[in-house]
Amino acid sequence: MSAKFPSHVTGLAGGVLLLALGAPVLAQISWSEKLSGQDASTTGEQQTQVDEIDRDEIQRSQAEAWGLTDQEWSRYQKLKDRPRGTWSPDLDPITMLGIEARSEAERRHYAELLVEQQRKRVERELAFQKAYDDAWQRLYPDESRVNFFALGRSPSAQSLLSTDTAGPSRYNVVVALEDCSRCDTEVQRLLDQGALMDIWVVDSDGDDDAIRQWATEVGIPADRVRQGQVTLNHGGQLSVSEDALPRIMPRG
């Protein structure tokens, strides 16, 4: 004859049994959730590390493109968050670092670096302009050429200068000292328009005095040169025919 437990004992035992059976299940769910949370945390940390590596690589690539070190690029980024970044938000990295230089040696370093950058830029633009001119001559020899970005004396140059509402434009201007009255006329016109210029002289032979004398004769104000509104540069290494001068290219 089987023993019968009182109903209140049976219920209690059943409850204990259910709790005992359920305990491992609850423990398993809790442990699974914990593992899941750890996995998510680990994935998030790994993604953050990947993002940081990508960002560092991008910044290093940008710094190299401007000829700057990682430290110089980092200082440029900080300067953008300071008053200079508000006053001059569109400055290129080298110019911003040069303006905010902490010593005369640093200022000179950035000035020379910018000259080299601009010289390379002018060379590339002139090379492409020549390729463009040659292509036009091959494809449409009987039609008047439409200038690409070497504006010269075209009406588009006048239009760009006179309708610029954001302030004076800046141009790379390639000229010759000898036998180029067109060069003198164009420089004078740009001066009258208030344009900012980086002038490159292809036949100066490294003679600073020859450039200074030419600038005086053309009427370039010395104070505009001192203020950096107009710069005078030797351009003997530029690949451009003197017959195609002057070359006037807006700086982007």
Side-chain angles (χ1 to χ4, degrees):
M1 183 175 179
S2 62
K4 292 186 179 180
F5 293 98
S7 59
H8 65 281
V9 175
T10 304
L12 179 59
V16 172
L17 180 59
L18 288 175
L19 287 174
L21 291 174
V25 178
L26 292 175
Q28 184 178 356
I29 294 173
S30 177
W31 182 249
S32 176
E33 290 176 345
K34 190 176 296 185
L35 287 176
S36 177
Q38 290 177 349
D39 290 343
S41 176
T42 301
T43 301
E45 291 175 359
Q46 291 175 340
Q47 184 61 48
T48 299
Q49 292 174 352
V50 171
D51 291 343
E52 290 177 352
I53 293 173
D54 289 344
R55 182 168 61 251
D56 290 344
E57 288 297 328
I58 291 173
Q59 291 182 351
R60 185 170 294 109
S61 176
Q62 291 174 325
E64 290 177 355
W66 286 96
L68 300 172
T69 65
D70 292 349
Q71 292 77 13
E72 288 174 320
W73 188 263
S74 177
R75 182 161 188 269
Y76 161 65
Q77 294 291 343
K78 292 177 181 177
L79 287 173
K80 290 199 298 182
D81 294 330
R82 296 176 182 176
R84 174 57 60 187
T86 300
W87 298 331
S88 312
D90 297 326
L91 280 181
D92 64 83
I94 299 176
T95 301
M96 183 173 290
L97 288 167
I99 291 174
E100 297 296 329
R102 295 161 293 188
S103 67
E104 185 59 35
E106 198 173 70
R107 185 175 297 107
R108 179 175 179 177
H109 163 69
Y110 289 123
E112 292 177 351
L113 182 59
L114 185 60
V115 167
E116 290 300 323
Q117 289 276 349
Q118 288 300 321
R119 182 171 182 165
K120 292 176 182 177
R121 172 180 175 170
V122 171
E123 288 175 342
R124 289 192 295 267
E125 291 179 352
L126 286 175
F128 186 67
Q129 178 67 51
K130 184 178 185 304
Y132 178 89
D133 293 346
D134 292 344
W136 187 280
Q137 186 61 33
R138 287 195 308 273
L139 298 174
Y140 306 103
D142 299 325
E143 297 184 20
S144 298
R145 188 177 69 235
V146 176
N147 286 334
F148 175 59
F149 60 81
L151 301 175
R153 298 173 303 284
S154 66
S156 58
Q158 290 278 13
S159 175
L160 280 173
L161 288 170
S162 62
T163 61
D164 184 7
T165 59
S169 300
R170 191 169 195 103
Y171 295 86
N172 281 314
V173 182
V174 184
V175 302
L177 304 180
E178 301 295 332
D179 301 324
C180 189
S181 59
R182 302 184 307 278
C183 298
D184 300 349
T185 300
E186 283 303 300
V187 169
Q188 290 167 346
R189 181 181 64 78
L190 290 170
L191 286 170
D192 291 341
Q193 294 285 349
L196 309 180
M197 287 181 282
D198 296 307
I199 299 176
W200 303 81
V201 183
V202 298
D203 60 349
S204 62
D205 295 324
D207 189 341
D208 292 347
D209 290 336
I211 292 182
R212 293 192 188 99
Q213 181 178 348
W214 170 82
T216 300
E217 293 173 354
V218 173
I220 298 175
D223 61 332
R224 294 190 64 178
V225 176
R226 284 193 294 269
Q227 294 169 11
Q229 297 176 4
V230 177
T231 67
L232 303 171
N233 310 277
H234 297 290
Q237 300 300 318
L238 298 177
S239 178
V240 57
S241 169
E242 293 186 18
D243 294 337
L245 298 177
R247 289 289 197 186
I248 304 174
M249 295 163 286
R251 285 179 51 178

